[in-house]
Amino acid sequence: MTPPSPAAAPILDEPAGSPRAALLCALLALGVLGWMTNQHPTLRQVDFIGFSVRAERLWDGGALDSDLLNTLYPVGYPALLGLGQRLCGDVLWAGKALAVLAGAGLVGVTARWLGVGAALWALATPMVLEFGAVEGTDMPAAALSFGALATAARR
């Protein structure tokens, strides 16, 4: 006797959601996280002070060697903070904006890769709701990591 053939396995490199659905989920996340950020306009993570000091030194031309070559915290986040500060005038709001944009990006990538249900679930998780609404490196790191996984899965 031959066992019945299994059903065809789903193809993992095909996106589960449409680009339009991903955009709508990202816009929803942008609204939710932006509203949450506005509820707490003050500093919520003390670690952010060190990043803002590094950002200021990087953009004012007084960067130390440890600002450029830091093995624990690379130069990318402070450089983005400095750029954000130049654009919006306040380094704290720049940090909050980076977190909100990263959270929206994570939700959008989730919608495209795993579907709208997974994206709405991701938006409702405490990790995205908390770290997507406060200044810090957590949400940008999570969004970049998840985006890299989604990109690698499609190859």
Side-chain angles (χ1 to χ4, degrees):
M1 277 200 175
T2 327
S5 62
I11 300 171
L12 294 177
D13 59 351
E14 291 295 322
S18 70
R20 178 176 289 158
L23 179 63
L24 289 175
C25 287
L27 289 173
L28 174 66
L30 197 64
V32 168
L33 297 175
W35 178 81
M36 289 182 66
T37 295
N38 200 34
Q39 303 307 305
H40 300 281
T42 58
L43 180 71
R44 295 183 63 198
Q45 287 192 354
V46 181
D47 293 351
F48 187 77
I49 295 169
F51 293 122
S52 64
V53 169
R54 278 182 69 196
E56 190 65 33
R57 285 195 304 245
L58 284 169
W59 282 86
D60 286 344
L64 305 173
D65 288 342
S66 63
D67 291 329
L68 299 173
L69 301 172
N70 188 319
T71 56
L72 185 58
Y73 296 112
V75 72
Y77 185 72
L80 283 175
L81 277 181
L83 177 63
Q85 181 181 12
R86 272 38 182 194
L87 294 175
C88 72
D90 184 15
V91 71
L92 180 61
W93 281 106
K96 289 179 181 290
L98 279 173
V100 167
L101 290 171
L106 185 136
V107 170
V109 167
T110 303
R112 181 77 169 124
W113 188 27
L114 300 174
V116 173
L120 295 176
W121 174 83
L123 179 58
T125 62
M127 193 273 299
V128 172
L129 288 174
E130 180 179 350
F131 294 112
V134 298
E135 65 286 346
T137 60
D138 300 302
M139 187 50 59
L144 288 172
S145 298
F146 198 69
L149 286 172
T151 302
R154 293 194 63 196
R155 292 182 178 236

Short mmCIF file of all heavy atoms in Angstrom, two decimals, residues 3 5 16 28 41 43 46-47 65 68 71 78 80 85 88 94 96 98 105 110-111 118 121 127 135 141:
data_model
loop_
_atom_site.label_atom_id
_atom_site.label_comp_id
_atom_site.label_asym_id
_atom_site.label_seq_id
_atom_site.Cartn_x
_atom_site.Cartn_y
_atom_site.Cartn_z
N PRO A 3 1.13 5.15 0.82
CA PRO A 3 0.43 6.18 1.61
C PRO A 3 -0.03 7.31 0.69
O PRO A 3 0.56 7.57 -0.35
CB PRO A 3 1.49 6.67 2.59
CG PRO A 3 2.80 6.29 1.99
CD PRO A 3 2.54 5.09 1.13
N SER A 5 -0.52 10.83 -0.94
CA SER A 5 0.46 11.92 -1.07
C SER A 5 0.00 13.11 -0.25
O SER A 5 -1.19 13.44 -0.23
CB SER A 5 0.63 12.32 -2.53
OG SER A 5 -0.58 12.80 -3.03
N ALA A 16 2.15 36.80 1.73
CA ALA A 16 0.79 36.43 2.13
C ALA A 16 -0.18 37.59 1.98
O ALA A 16 -1.38 37.38 1.86
CB ALA A 16 0.79 35.94 3.58
N LEU A 28 -2.15 52.27 9.88
CA LEU A 28 -2.87 52.07 11.14
C LEU A 28 -1.88 52.08 12.31
O LEU A 28 -2.12 52.73 13.33
CB LEU A 28 -3.65 50.75 11.11
CG LEU A 28 -4.33 50.36 12.41
CD1 LEU A 28 -5.43 51.34 12.77
CD2 LEU A 28 -4.86 48.93 12.32
N PRO A 41 4.92 62.65 26.38
CA PRO A 41 5.87 63.48 25.62
C PRO A 41 7.24 63.64 26.28
O PRO A 41 8.13 64.22 25.70
CB PRO A 41 5.15 64.83 25.53
CG PRO A 41 4.26 64.86 26.72
CD PRO A 41 3.85 63.44 26.97
N LEU A 43 10.81 62.15 28.45
CA LEU A 43 11.79 61.07 28.36
C LEU A 43 11.32 59.87 29.17
O LEU A 43 10.93 60.01 30.33
CB LEU A 43 13.14 61.56 28.89
CG LEU A 43 14.28 60.55 28.88
CD1 LEU A 43 14.72 60.29 27.45
CD2 LEU A 43 15.46 61.06 29.69
N VAL A 46 16.11 56.17 30.10
CA VAL A 46 17.30 56.92 30.50
C VAL A 46 18.47 56.65 29.56
O VAL A 46 19.30 57.53 29.34
CB VAL A 46 17.67 56.59 31.97
CG1 VAL A 46 18.88 57.38 32.41
CG2 VAL A 46 16.49 56.87 32.88
N ASP A 47 18.53 55.47 28.97
CA ASP A 47 19.61 55.15 28.03
C ASP A 47 19.66 56.13 26.87
O ASP A 47 20.70 56.33 26.25
CB ASP A 47 19.42 53.75 27.45
CG ASP A 47 19.60 52.66 28.47
OD1 ASP A 47 20.04 52.97 29.60
OD2 ASP A 47 19.29 51.50 28.15
N ASP A 65 36.55 59.03 19.35
CA ASP A 65 36.74 57.72 18.73
C ASP A 65 35.68 56.72 19.21
O ASP A 65 35.19 55.90 18.44
CB ASP A 65 38.13 57.18 19.05
CG ASP A 65 39.21 57.92 18.29
OD1 ASP A 65 38.88 58.59 17.29
OD2 ASP A 65 40.38 57.83 18.69
N LEU A 68 32.43 56.82 17.24
CA LEU A 68 32.45 56.23 15.90
C LEU A 68 32.63 54.73 15.94
O LEU A 68 32.08 54.01 15.11
CB LEU A 68 33.56 56.87 15.07
CG LEU A 68 33.43 58.38 14.84
CD1 LEU A 68 34.66 58.91 14.15
CD2 LEU A 68 32.18 58.69 14.04
N THR A 71 31.51 49.14 20.05
CA THR A 71 31.11 47.77 19.72
C THR A 71 29.74 47.41 20.26
O THR A 71 29.06 46.56 19.71
CB THR A 71 32.14 46.76 20.26
OG1 THR A 71 32.27 46.95 21.66
CG2 THR A 71 33.48 46.95 19.59
N PRO A 78 22.75 56.85 16.60
CA PRO A 78 23.03 58.26 16.92
C PRO A 78 23.08 59.16 15.69
O PRO A 78 22.66 60.32 15.74
CB PRO A 78 24.38 58.22 17.64
CG PRO A 78 24.47 56.85 18.20
CD PRO A 78 23.76 55.97 17.22
N LEU A 80 21.27 58.76 12.93
CA LEU A 80 19.87 59.01 12.57
C LEU A 80 19.21 59.99 13.54
O LEU A 80 18.39 60.82 13.13
CB LEU A 80 19.09 57.70 12.55
CG LEU A 80 19.30 56.80 11.34
CD1 LEU A 80 18.56 55.48 11.52
CD2 LEU A 80 18.86 57.49 10.07
N GLN A 85 17.07 65.27 14.58
CA GLN A 85 17.09 66.51 15.34
C GLN A 85 17.19 67.70 14.40
O GLN A 85 16.56 68.73 14.63
CB GLN A 85 18.25 66.52 16.33
CG GLN A 85 18.31 67.77 17.17
CD GLN A 85 19.48 67.77 18.13
OE1 GLN A 85 20.38 66.94 18.04
NE2 GLN A 85 19.48 68.71 19.05
N CYS A 88 13.53 68.00 12.84
CA CYS A 88 12.37 68.39 13.66
C CYS A 88 12.73 69.29 14.82
O CYS A 88 11.84 69.77 15.52
CB CYS A 88 11.62 67.16 14.15
SG CYS A 88 12.44 66.19 15.41
N ALA A 94 12.78 63.29 17.77
CA ALA A 94 13.40 62.52 16.69
C ALA A 94 13.48 61.04 17.07
O ALA A 94 13.19 60.17 16.26
CB ALA A 94 14.79 63.07 16.36
N LYS A 96 11.56 59.49 19.27
CA LYS A 96 10.20 58.95 19.29
C LYS A 96 9.71 58.70 17.86
O LYS A 96 9.06 57.68 17.59
CB LYS A 96 9.28 59.90 20.04
CG LYS A 96 9.53 59.93 21.53
CD LYS A 96 8.61 60.91 22.22
CE LYS A 96 8.86 60.96 23.71
NZ LYS A 96 8.45 59.76 24.42
N LEU A 98 11.53 57.97 15.25
CA LEU A 98 12.21 56.78 14.73
C LEU A 98 11.53 55.51 15.23
O LEU A 98 11.34 54.55 14.48
CB LEU A 98 13.68 56.77 15.14
CG LEU A 98 14.63 57.61 14.31
CD1 LEU A 98 16.00 57.64 14.96
CD2 LEU A 98 14.72 57.06 12.91
N GLY A 105 6.79 50.19 10.29
CA GLY A 105 7.48 49.35 9.31
C GLY A 105 7.40 47.88 9.66
O GLY A 105 7.17 47.04 8.78
N THR A 110 5.13 42.70 8.40
CA THR A 110 4.38 41.53 8.87
C THR A 110 3.14 41.29 8.00
O THR A 110 2.84 40.15 7.64
CB THR A 110 3.96 41.72 10.34
OG1 THR A 110 5.12 41.95 11.14
CG2 THR A 110 3.23 40.50 10.87
N ALA A 111 2.43 42.36 7.66
CA ALA A 111 1.25 42.22 6.81
C ALA A 111 1.61 41.67 5.44
O ALA A 111 0.91 40.81 4.89
CB ALA A 111 0.55 43.57 6.66
N ALA A 118 -1.79 38.50 11.03
CA ALA A 118 -0.53 38.50 11.78
C ALA A 118 -0.08 39.93 12.07
O ALA A 118 0.47 40.21 13.14
CB ALA A 118 0.55 37.75 11.00
N TRP A 121 -2.18 41.28 14.89
CA TRP A 121 -1.72 40.64 16.12
C TRP A 121 -0.41 41.29 16.59
O TRP A 121 -0.25 41.59 17.77
CB TRP A 121 -1.52 39.14 15.90
CG TRP A 121 -0.92 38.48 17.10
CD1 TRP A 121 -1.58 38.03 18.21
CD2 TRP A 121 0.46 38.20 17.32
NE1 TRP A 121 -0.67 37.50 19.09
CE2 TRP A 121 0.58 37.59 18.57
CE3 TRP A 121 1.62 38.42 16.56
CZ2 TRP A 121 1.80 37.19 19.10
CZ3 TRP A 121 2.83 38.03 17.09
CH2 TRP A 121 2.91 37.42 18.34
N MET A 127 5.02 44.37 23.19
CA MET A 127 6.34 44.79 22.72
C MET A 127 6.23 45.90 21.69
O MET A 127 6.91 46.92 21.79
CB MET A 127 7.10 43.59 22.13
CG MET A 127 8.58 43.82 21.90
SD MET A 127 9.17 44.55 20.37
CE MET A 127 8.70 43.50 19.09
N GLU A 135 11.15 56.44 22.83
CA GLU A 135 12.46 56.62 22.22
C GLU A 135 13.36 55.45 22.64
O GLU A 135 13.25 54.93 23.74
CB GLU A 135 13.06 57.95 22.69
CG GLU A 135 13.36 58.02 24.17
CD GLU A 135 12.18 58.17 25.10
OE1 GLU A 135 11.07 58.48 24.66
OE2 GLU A 135 12.37 57.94 26.29
N ALA A 141 15.67 48.19 16.06
CA ALA A 141 16.41 46.93 15.93
C ALA A 141 15.48 45.78 15.58
O ALA A 141 15.79 44.96 14.71
CB ALA A 141 17.15 46.62 17.23
#
